[in-house]
Amino acid sequence: MEPLLKVDDLRTQFHTDAGLVNVVDGVSLELKKGEILGVVGESGCGKSVTSLSVMQLLPKDISKVASGSITLEGQDILAMSPSRLRKMRGNQISMIFQEPMTSLNPVFKIGDQIMEAIRFHMKISKKEAKVYAIEMLKKVGISRPESVVDEYPHQLSGGMRQRVMIAIAMACEPKILIADEPTTALDVTIQAQILNLMRQLQQEKGTSIMLITHDLGIVAQMCDRVVVMYAGQVVEETDVKSLFKNPKHPYTKGLLASLPQLSGNQNKLKSIPGQVPALDEMPTGCRFAPRCEFRMDECDTSKPNLLNVAENHTCRCYLYQKEEIPS
Amino acid sequence: MAGYIMRRLLYMIPGFIGIILITFVLSRVLPGDPAVMIAGEQAPPDVVAKIRVDLGLDQPIYIQFMDYAKKLFQGDFGIAWHTGHTVLQDFASRFPATIELTLSSIFIAILVAIPVGIIAAVKKESILDHISRIFSLIGACVPLFWLGLMLIFLFYSKWDILPAPMGRISEGINPPTSITGLYLLDSLLSGDMIAFKDSLMHLILPAICLSTGTMAIIARMMRSSMLEVIGQDYIRTARAKGMRESQVIMKHALSNAFIPTLTLLGLQFGFLIGGAVITETIFSWPGVGGYITDSILSTDYAPIQAFTLISAIVFSLVNLIVDLLYGVLDPRIRYE
Ligand SMILES: Nc1ncnc2c1ncn2[C@@H]1O[C@H](COP(=O)(O)OP(=O)(O)OP(=O)(O)O)[C@@H](O)[C@H]1O
Ligand SMILES: [Mg+2]
């Protein structure tokens, strides 16, 4: 089946003090209809930049998609005109962000901020839009939505604001929701509520979700499939069960080992030694090699490719070269 | 809200009392003897002495102050010796000209500076941004009197496109029927297009001259606050909703970026009052500014003191209004 969203060999560059660097370097991923795809990886590995590339919302003056393709139902997003892109944003693909406290405009009423998207995409009257906005607020679990529409962002808590963001994002029933660490800034009980809400909406509408997080617990709880990113590249991709039962890439293994386990001995909590290499000092070989406990000679000299190591399971590591199965 | 305004008004009073004191003392310690000015350089000493007694200048300074303060309370700003009218009369006949000049400069400054600031921010580091930066720098640095003289030289002497810098309207033309005292507005209201065109021609140069400093500063402020706002998360949200770039900038960004600019505008008012004194003198503009220059030159205390006090009151009220507008623009601000 043709995937809903297909990112192929995406390379996104940023102008930095150290010159032009590939922040996202050859990322490929697919989002199928109705699934929740987790994207995990350490801070700075390019998760947000990947999603902003999809939305074409990169900061224009300092970054650009240098090569690769992004297609939405076969349509090339990179070739879309500005007006076509606007019709896509908020309507076919919506996005919610990591920072609920600052993602809403402080000087406009909540209702107006929801209605703006609704009216732009659905071309309905102000009155209808307001009724619809209240309905959306109710749907995302906001009590007394009739008064909240007339309130300003500063009158709401972080959790409430993220609910409002979800209401805005889901208002036009997009096919895809990109949620960039939607709960990182919220406390744990609110996190669970927001995640449940997203899942409930996803099940009702069949929305596909790209859920970006660095919390493997959230992945286990929410996702169907997972893409693991490291230093701007995908290093492993598989379904969520295989990832937890049978992780392949040493980086993934490291991430899993650093998860606190209820039954396990707390002392065994491990972290991956070393640090993510700086963008302008990427190793010539495997990017994870300097931190890898299974490092071999070839890891330092040549770049491993993303290989099919099992059915629906790819991994970028020389350890599995012999296990490669034809796709 | 009403309580807030009352409190703000009350807080102004000590400041005003301070200003009354300082201007009074300053004008007494400055060199120059008003009695001599009134009587004339050649007047015999006994005439000068008599004038001094008439004016109460022979009294100790604290008595003079009490006298002055008491009259002030009754709304009596004294008499301008150099015109022979009461200060209030003089002000009443000249204030409309000053108000027309200041309002037009603010209008011009905003009209130019806001779009320039927005464009400079949106097209950061482009040629437009650089040009606006250079002009702002010049606008902020150039001395008012030099700019005024250059404008007169170019537009009147050299190219002869604008009338002589003499007053608000040409001699052969009747001023419009007075409604607000502002010629432009009055001539429009009474449909007198001849007066409108002529007074506009007279107003253009002094208004531009007075506006440049404010214009430059507001353009820079607008650019920097716009740049800051454009980088905010909610701007990304607006784009992610599919909003048009023009709406993102003009609605989402501007409504936030204008707030700090407004504060600056209020503070600039002080600069405008000072600038008006110079501009009016250069352009022989029959407003309060030119009158104050004359008063200073003829050691005429009463108008100077009145002008300082009234300026302070206007400045404080403008900034109170700015603060109230702040609350309208930014829902996070509540007055209680
Ligand atoms: N606006 C920007 N200016 C300069 N560099 C940027 C910018 N945004 C991202 N980058 C660079 O791109 C890299 C990847 O950033 P990105 O935001 O995609 O990371 P992330 O995986 O989303 O991390 P996090 O978990 O912290 O959100 C960063 O290391 C940073 O150097
Ligand atoms: Mg991020």
Side-chain angles (χ1 to χ4, degrees):
Chain A
M1 196 177 74
E2 172 80 358
L4 201 53
L5 178 73
K6 190 165 166 36
V7 175
D8 194 26
D9 200 19
L10 176 73
R11 185 160 288 115
T12 302
Q13 298 179 324
F14 269 79
H15 287 282
T16 64
D17 296 337
L20 199 62
V21 289
N22 292 327
V23 165
V24 168
D25 200 359
V27 164
S28 300
L29 53 85
E30 291 181 0
L31 183 62
K32 298 192 183 73
K33 193 167 169 14
E35 78 170 344
I36 303 186
L37 173 70
V39 177
V40 289
E42 263 163 306
S43 186
C45 70
K47 306 180 298 284
S48 297
V49 171
T50 304
S51 55
L52 291 174
S53 303
V54 172
M55 293 295 280
Q56 288 289 287
L57 283 176
L58 292 164
K60 270 198 215 97
D61 44 344
I62 52 166
S63 58
K64 64 166 194 287
V65 172
S67 64
S69 74
I70 306 173
T71 51
L72 172 66
E73 295 180 306
Q75 274 189 299
D76 186 358
I77 289 182
L78 298 178
M80 283 181 186
S81 68
S83 71
R84 175 68 188 87
L85 274 174
R86 285 201 307 273
K87 288 199 188 94
M88 176 194 88
R89 294 187 196 124
N91 194 26
Q92 288 171 292
I93 310 183
S94 284
M95 185 157 176
I96 52 180
F97 302 95
Q98 187 168 346
E99 308 83 5
M101 298 310 279
T102 52
S103 289
L104 291 165
N105 194 325
V107 305
F108 294 131
K109 289 179 181 166
I110 299 294
D112 291 333
Q113 300 195 47
I114 305 177
M115 283 153 63
E116 197 176 36
I118 300 173
R119 293 195 64 198
F120 178 75
H121 293 297
M122 315 214 283
K123 312 275 179 243
I124 57 177
S125 76
K126 203 165 177 176
K127 223 169 165 183
E128 291 169 304
K130 183 153 187 181
V131 173
Y132 191 84
I134 293 174
E135 199 180 303
M136 279 314 295
L137 284 177
K138 208 178 290 167
K139 218 178 249 176
V140 296
I142 284 185
S143 49
R144 48 176 202 95
E146 293 83 1
S147 50
V148 169
V149 281
D150 288 321
E151 284 175 16
Y152 290 93
H154 71 274
Q155 293 168 281
L156 307 183
S157 67
M160 295 260 277
R161 288 188 217 185
Q162 198 61 303
R163 284 173 195 269
V164 171
M165 284 299 290
I166 294 177
I168 293 175
M170 299 301 286
C172 301
E173 306 196 351
K175 298 190 177 99
I176 298 171
L177 174 67
I178 300 178
D180 189 355
E181 311 201 28
T183 58
T184 307
L186 304 173
D187 63 53
V188 186
T189 46
I190 312 289
Q191 266 190 28
Q193 293 172 6
I194 295 287
L195 292 173
N196 283 336
L197 170 66
M198 283 174 49
R199 196 184 0 232
Q200 173 205 331
L201 292 175
Q202 181 259 346
Q203 279 163 358
E204 265 172 40
K205 306 285 179 199
T207 321
S208 309
I209 298 182
M210 183 167 143
L211 178 59
I212 296 172
T213 173
H214 46 232
D215 185 341
L216 281 169
I218 292 180
V219 169
Q221 186 189 335
M222 297 280 293
C223 300
D224 303 310
R225 255 174 350 107
V226 192
V227 166
V228 181
M229 284 181 68
Y230 183 78
Q233 295 184 321
V234 174
V235 293
E236 182 160 5
E237 192 215 311
T238 184
D239 60 283
V240 81
K241 275 213 191 78
S242 315
L243 188 91
F244 282 91
K245 263 214 229 115
N246 192 10
K248 299 279 187 189
H249 198 284
Y251 175 64
T252 318
K253 287 179 181 170
L255 279 183
L256 287 169
S258 59
L259 269 185
Q261 249 136 32
L262 272 186
S263 54
N265 184 343
Q266 296 295 324
N267 296 333
K268 274 195 336 204
L269 206 66
K270 286 203 292 185
S271 70
I272 309 172
Q275 275 173 353
V276 189
L279 287 166
D280 52 328
E281 298 169 351
M282 280 300 166
T284 27
C286 171
R287 295 185 166 184
F288 187 61
R291 304 171 72 184
C292 182
E293 50 181 315
F294 306 102
R295 166 180 176 182
M296 301 173 291
D297 287 345
E298 53 192 325
C299 301
D300 285 329
T301 51
S302 61
K303 295 181 182 15
N305 288 324
L306 205 57
L307 304 173
N308 260 318
V309 292
E311 204 178 331
N312 290 323
H313 196 155
T314 58
C315 177
R316 189 188 292 275
C317 182
Y318 283 125
L319 287 175
Y320 305 98
Q321 211 155 28
K322 290 176 204 77
E323 295 174 28
E324 185 182 8
I325 57 166
S327 51
Chain B
M1 180 87 163
Y4 172 80
I5 297 175
M6 279 312 294
R7 235 183 4 259
R8 281 283 302 263
L9 291 174
L10 277 179
Y11 289 157
M12 287 177 194
I13 292 174
F16 294 154
I17 292 176
I19 286 167
I20 293 172
L21 247 170
I22 291 170
T23 51
F24 180 84
V25 171
L26 274 184
S27 55
R28 300 302 132 135
V29 299
L30 284 177
D33 185 343
V36 175
M37 298 295 284
I38 293 170
E41 300 277 346
Q42 265 78 43
D46 58 320
V47 175
V48 174
K50 187 175 177 300
I51 293 180
R52 191 166 286 135
V53 173
D54 285 349
L55 294 176
L57 291 173
D58 58 333
Q59 304 284 331
I61 194 159
Y62 68 92
I63 304 262
Q64 289 186 38
F65 180 73
M66 295 307 284
D67 230 35
Y68 166 65
K70 207 170 96 197
K71 285 200 178 135
L72 210 55
F73 251 99
Q74 296 159 347
D76 179 0
F77 287 90
I79 292 176
W81 306 318
H82 80 285
T83 61
H85 301 289
T86 67
V87 171
L88 272 184
Q89 278 172 339
D90 281 342
F91 272 25
S93 64
R94 289 173 170 84
F95 243 120
T98 300
I99 291 175
E100 179 158 47
L101 176 63
T102 345
L103 284 185
S104 333
S105 346
I106 292 184
F107 181 72
I108 295 174
I110 293 180
L111 203 69
V112 176
I114 303 278
V116 165
I118 295 174
I119 293 171
V122 173
K123 306 243 179 270
K124 192 177 96 177
E125 301 302 332
S126 72
I127 185 81
L128 289 174
D129 185 21
H130 293 308
I131 292 176
S132 86
R133 190 196 322 261
I134 292 168
F135 272 93
S136 306
L137 196 68
I138 296 173
C141 297
V142 142
L144 256 183
F145 66 87
W146 184 84
L147 179 67
L149 294 177
M150 279 315 282
L151 289 175
I152 293 172
F153 170 69
L154 291 176
F155 287 89
Y156 168 63
S157 312
K158 203 161 173 68
W159 300 327
D160 198 20
I161 345 183
L162 291 171
M166 304 288 277
R168 306 170 74 185
I169 200 156
S170 300
E171 249 177 53
I173 297 176
N174 283 330
T177 0
S178 184
I179 304 168
T180 60
L182 313 183
Y183 282 7
L184 279 190
L185 205 58
D186 287 351
S187 54
L188 267 188
L189 288 177
S190 54
D192 183 352
M193 288 326 283
I194 298 170
F196 179 78
K197 188 159 165 266
D198 193 72
S199 49
L200 181 64
M201 298 299 241
H202 278 82
L203 180 61
I204 282 181
L205 286 190
I208 289 179
C209 180
L210 182 55
S211 70
T212 42
T214 305
M215 193 191 287
I217 290 172
I218 295 199
R220 294 317 284 168
M221 181 69 185
M222 195 65 218
R223 175 185 185 269
S224 69
S225 59
M226 199 70 186
L227 273 181
E228 195 191 317
V229 168
I230 286 176
Q232 296 291 316
D233 293 334
Y234 54 80
I235 295 300
R236 190 180 53 191
T237 305
R239 293 200 176 111
K241 283 194 282 193
M243 292 298 105
R244 237 170 240 293
E245 193 58 22
S246 57
Q247 269 179 312
V248 172
I249 299 297
M250 298 310 288
K251 184 173 165 197
H252 286 266
L254 188 57
S255 55
N256 284 277
F258 187 65
I259 299 173
T261 311
L262 184 70
T263 315
L264 188 70
L265 202 59
L267 296 175
Q268 274 297 305
F269 215 83
F271 170 84
L272 280 174
I273 295 173
V277 173
I278 302 173
T279 311
E280 291 186 3
T281 311
I282 302 171
F283 289 89
S284 314
W285 191 257
V288 178
Y291 170 68
I292 285 306
T293 314
D294 292 345
S295 309
I296 294 172
L297 294 177
S298 46
T299 346
D300 202 345
Y301 299 157
I304 304 175
Q305 289 165 331
F307 178 70
T308 317
L309 182 60
I310 292 176
S311 301
I313 293 175
V314 170
F315 182 75
S316 307
L317 290 180
V318 164
N319 280 284
L320 173 59
I321 293 172
V322 162
D323 283 353
L324 294 177
L325 278 180
Y326 226 95
V328 175
L329 294 178
D330 189 342
R332 285 164 294 187
I333 294 174
R334 282 278 153 271
Y335 302 110
E336 73 258 339

